[in-house]
């Protein structure tokens, strides 16, 4: 989930900063963030008339040029790389439009942190398509252990420390735009 939050820092949308990470077998396949397509002027520079026009949230969506974070991650990965068992982590629950695309490419599970106004419509699409939808709930101690549940570490292992260093390096790269 932290990687989805970090990807959101790359967003150039003026309305909302959304990030997503597509994972299969505990390996990152692609990341995505919301903003204008390649080669199109960024939102903050006047690229999307909707975002620059001061319209209310949730309105005039058909005039928005921005790709959603989930769409961006799916397009970057392509259906062949997604494969079976892929999980999409998003810092915001996908909208109905993205939900349809997520179901189409065969994502097995969507994990999100924050709800969105169309959660029920997205949930209905996911349910019918057999995609598991769940809201992320961080553990009280702040650590998420992805290994065998029986083997919970009592102190951080070298792999845990390496993972923290990797996350920090990725965070710096995403914020700097490298």
């Amino acid at each position: 989930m932290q990687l989805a939050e970090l990807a959101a820092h790359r967003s150039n949308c003026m309305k909302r900063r959304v990030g997503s990470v597509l994972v299969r077998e505990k390996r990152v396949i692609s990341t995505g963030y919301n903003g204008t397509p390649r080669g199109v002027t960024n939102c903050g520079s006047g690229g999307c008339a909707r975002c620059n026009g001061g319209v209310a949230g949730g309105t005039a969506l058909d005039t928005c040029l921005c790709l959603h974070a989930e769409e961006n991650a799916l397009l970057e990965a392509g259906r062949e790389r997604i494969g079976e068992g892929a999980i999409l982590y998003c810092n915001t629950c996908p909208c109905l439009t993205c939900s349809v695309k997520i179901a189409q490419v065969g994502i097995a599970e969507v994990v999100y942190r924050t709800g969105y106004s169309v959660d029920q419509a997205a949930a209905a699409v996911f349910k019918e398509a057999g995609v598991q939808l769940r809201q992320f709930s961080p553990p009280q101690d702040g650590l998420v252990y992805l290994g065998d549940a029986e083997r919970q570490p009592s102190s951080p292992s070298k792999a845990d420390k390496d993972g923290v260093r990797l996350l920090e390096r990725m965070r710096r790269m995403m914020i700097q735009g490298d």
Side-chain angles (χ1 to χ4, degrees), residues 48-121:
C48 179
R50 176 186 176 270
C51 292
N52 285 278
V55 299
T59 62
L61 296 175
D62 58 334
T63 64
C64 184
L65 295 181
C66 293
L67 287 168
H68 291 188
E70 302 87 348
E71 291 175 304
N72 208 339
L74 296 174
L75 290 168
E76 286 296 321
R79 185 174 171 85
E80 294 77 32
R81 284 184 51 209
I82 293 171
E84 283 188 34
I87 302 171
L88 182 65
Y89 293 89
C90 313
N91 67 341
T92 303
C93 187
C95 70
L96 179 61
T97 303
C98 287
S99 299
V100 171
K101 294 170 185 169
I102 290 165
Q104 174 64 19
V105 299
I107 301 294
E109 181 179 7
V110 174
V111 182
Y112 69 96
R113 180 184 305 270
T114 306
Y116 190 58
S117 61
V118 292
D119 288 358
Q120 295 308 312

Side-chain angles (χ1 to χ4, degrees), residues 12 17 56 90 146:
N12 63 57
R17 296 175 80 87
C90 313
L146 299 176

